[in-house]
Amino acid sequence: MPHPQPSLPAPAHPDVDSMLSRKFGREVANYFSGSPLNRLGFLRSEHSFLSQALNHPTTSFLLCNELQPLVQSKEAKRIQWVKYDDIKDVVGEDPFAKDEETVLKEFDSEKTSAQLVFLGVEENAKGGLEYQGKNLYKGAPFFAVDVTPRGEGKVKDACTALIKKLEEQGTGFGKGRIMELEAGDAAIYAEARQILDWNARNPFCAQCGQPTLSVNGGFKRACPPQDVATPASGARKPCATRKGVSNLSFPRTDPTVIMAIVNHAGTHLLLGRSKRFPPAWYSTLAGFAEPAESIEEAVRREVYEEAGVLVGRVVIHSTQPWPYPANLMIGAIGQSVPDGENIDLGNDPELEDARWCPFDEVREALKIGVSGLGDPAPPEYKGGLRLPPETAIANQLMTSVVNGFVGVEAKM
């Protein structure tokens, strides 16, 4: 049986009437978006705020082992949150006790620590933290912690002991790509996974090659000017990142275009399949946007490269964070030009097949042929086209198209 698919998040302020909604239709919120947290990014540099948030009674921690989240059961529908007392031996007494300047001066490359990321606050929670900055900010704080046992020493031992304890209590870490979490948990996990992964991939400065230090609540890495582990003065070799406006390393997000292409007559949808897809399983085309390229240009280039089809007008439909590892899927709908609809797979060998599918065939497949990439077809499926589930932005693009998005009146 295929895995049951979670509901999609609700768009922001769905009940508020606006000119944009009347003109372009209801906003589409895709899986991994719609976080219930206010990230309060402007408070990440305030160590006093992070210190209070870390120890507050309402604070929850998301644990990741090899980037897999701690979940309540094998079905992996909900995250298993833990409290500060559970992870105190892993993160230490208070890693936010000192300001960034002091932390950089006291940097010791021989000391290891678990990566900690501030995710935001849930403002509707009762009894949450109250912090007076420029304004009064309220909410239950959320953090992510990388408990992957690495290296040697106390931190590795603490992570190993914690994982063992949690597994003995009946919880465990998710397997494979996590696509079954409820919408709110999925959005929080997406943020946590992407930032933890970025920190793990960037332990060294891209400019000088020396070790970097995670600061700003886990959302930036700095190249410290000195290292107490270095003999004599402790000063490190010069690095250009410590001067001017280029002194920071921030998490990366790779823009990726994914597009539903409609033929000029408005009757067929261009779908493709790669060799790794199950039999009869097709999806919309996709690819990375390149430097100095607009999203519209990226759509036209990718469709031409993969399928040989020439695309005219392109509009943006919706977007989807995709934390595998760090993509923002920019969903678009385009329409081919009349004399550019012949499919040619000879430019780029990425696709095994591509074809123009009638809208009625796509509609039928959206009803009975939807499943995850690794899941079996649903029981009602008797053959024919198979398509991605609702948690994939490709599904939302196809649904919009066959429901009249490319018509006289926009039906987004």
Side-chain angles (χ1 to χ4, degrees):
M1 291 289 292
H3 291 102
Q5 296 297 310
S7 299
L8 297 180
H13 310 293
D15 300 325
V16 176
D17 180 47
S18 73
M19 293 184 296
L20 290 176
S21 295
R22 293 195 297 272
K23 184 175 180 62
F24 298 107
R26 189 170 183 262
E27 181 178 322
V28 176
N30 289 295
Y31 194 68
F32 287 131
S33 68
S35 175
L37 305 184
N38 183 339
R39 296 193 182 193
L40 297 179
F42 47 85
L43 293 181
R44 294 173 188 147
S45 60
E46 298 192 21
H47 74 100
S48 59
F49 165 74
L50 294 175
S51 181
Q52 293 178 42
L54 184 75
N55 290 282
H56 197 269
T58 63
T59 301
S60 298
F61 295 85
L62 165 57
L63 307 187
C64 288
N65 180 17
E66 300 290 355
L67 300 178
Q68 298 299 102
L70 184 69
V71 292
Q72 294 181 2
S73 65
K74 293 182 179 180
E75 287 76 22
K77 293 182 179 180
R78 295 303 305 267
I79 288 173
Q80 178 66 55
W81 306 101
V82 302
K83 292 298 184 180
Y84 175 69
D85 286 345
D86 297 311
I87 51 95
K88 186 175 180 180
D89 290 342
V90 173
V91 301
E93 187 65 35
D94 186 358
F96 302 119
K98 300 176 181 178
D99 62 25
E100 183 175 318
E101 182 179 1
T102 302
V103 169
L104 290 174
K105 288 180 179 179
E106 297 178 355
F107 174 66
D108 185 345
S109 60
E110 293 185 355
K111 288 185 177 181
T112 59
S113 59
Q115 181 63 54
L116 191 61
V117 174
F118 171 65
L119 301 173
V121 301
E122 186 176 4
E123 295 175 305
N124 295 327
K126 295 181 179 180
L129 171 69
E130 296 189 7
Y131 181 80
Q132 184 65 57
K134 179 180 179 181
N135 297 301
L136 179 63
Y137 305 102
K138 301 179 181 180
F142 284 74
F143 288 84
V145 186
D146 187 351
V147 296
T148 307
R150 292 191 179 96
E152 302 294 337
K154 294 182 179 179
V155 174
K156 178 185 178 182
D157 294 342
C159 289
T160 301
L162 177 59
I163 292 171
K164 181 180 179 181
K165 175 183 175 182
L166 293 168
E167 290 177 344
E168 290 175 347
Q169 293 175 350
T171 59
F173 294 89
K175 307 293 182 183
R177 286 190 174 180
I178 304 300
M179 299 293 293
E180 292 83 36
L181 286 172
E182 293 187 4
D185 284 6
I188 297 174
Y189 168 62
E191 178 188 1
R193 188 191 194 282
Q194 189 162 336
I195 303 303
L196 289 176
D197 187 30
W198 170 75
N199 275 282
R201 289 172 184 261
N202 293 271
F204 300 102
C205 178
Q207 176 70 30
C208 68
Q210 299 177 103
T212 54
L213 178 66
S214 176
V215 292
N216 207 50
F219 274 78
K220 93 179 173 186
R221 298 192 69 89
C223 185
Q226 56 193 47
D227 184 350
V228 298
T230 303
S233 66
R236 304 209 296 178
K237 62 183 180 181
C239 180
T241 65
R242 302 187 198 120
K243 298 180 179 180
V245 297
S246 302
N247 61 342
L248 308 173
S249 175
F250 290 103
R252 65 181 288 173
T253 296
D254 300 325
T256 304
V257 292
I258 180 167
M259 43 277 178
I261 304 302
V262 182
N263 68 335
H264 185 71
T267 58
H268 289 66
L269 186 61
L270 180 64
L271 300 178
R273 58 173 282 107
S274 72
K275 295 179 181 179
R276 66 186 179 89
F277 288 176
W281 209 90
Y282 282 73
S283 186
T284 54
L285 276 57
F288 287 102
E290 293 187 348
E293 182 177 56
S294 71
I295 295 304
E296 293 82 356
E297 289 172 316
V299 167
R300 297 186 184 102
R301 175 184 54 76
E302 282 288 341
V303 174
Y304 167 72
E305 289 178 355
E306 294 185 5
V309 172
L310 303 181
V311 176
R313 182 73 167 98
V314 175
V315 295
I316 307 301
H317 174 271
S318 62
T319 59
Q320 179 180 35
W322 191 253
Y324 298 107
N327 304 113
L328 177 62
M329 308 291 286
I330 302 171
I333 295 175
Q335 195 159 19
S336 61
V337 299
D339 58 351
E341 296 184 340
N342 291 331
I343 294 175
D344 179 3
L345 303 181
N347 295 319
D348 186 335
E350 183 172 340
L351 294 181
E352 180 183 71
D353 185 37
R355 64 186 181 96
W356 290 104
C357 300
F359 281 6
D360 285 344
E361 182 183 11
V362 177
R363 288 191 188 99
E364 183 67 11
L366 288 170
K367 293 178 181 178
I368 64 171
V370 167
S371 67
L373 186 59
D375 290 341
E380 59 269 27
Y381 174 79
K382 304 302 180 183
L385 188 65
R386 294 179 60 188
L387 298 174
E390 287 188 356
T391 49
I393 188 174
N395 181 293
Q396 301 304 309
L397 293 172
M398 289 183 278
T399 299
S400 289
V401 166
V402 300
N403 286 340
F405 184 91
V406 186
V408 178
E409 296 182 1
K411 298 178 181 179
M412 192 165 177

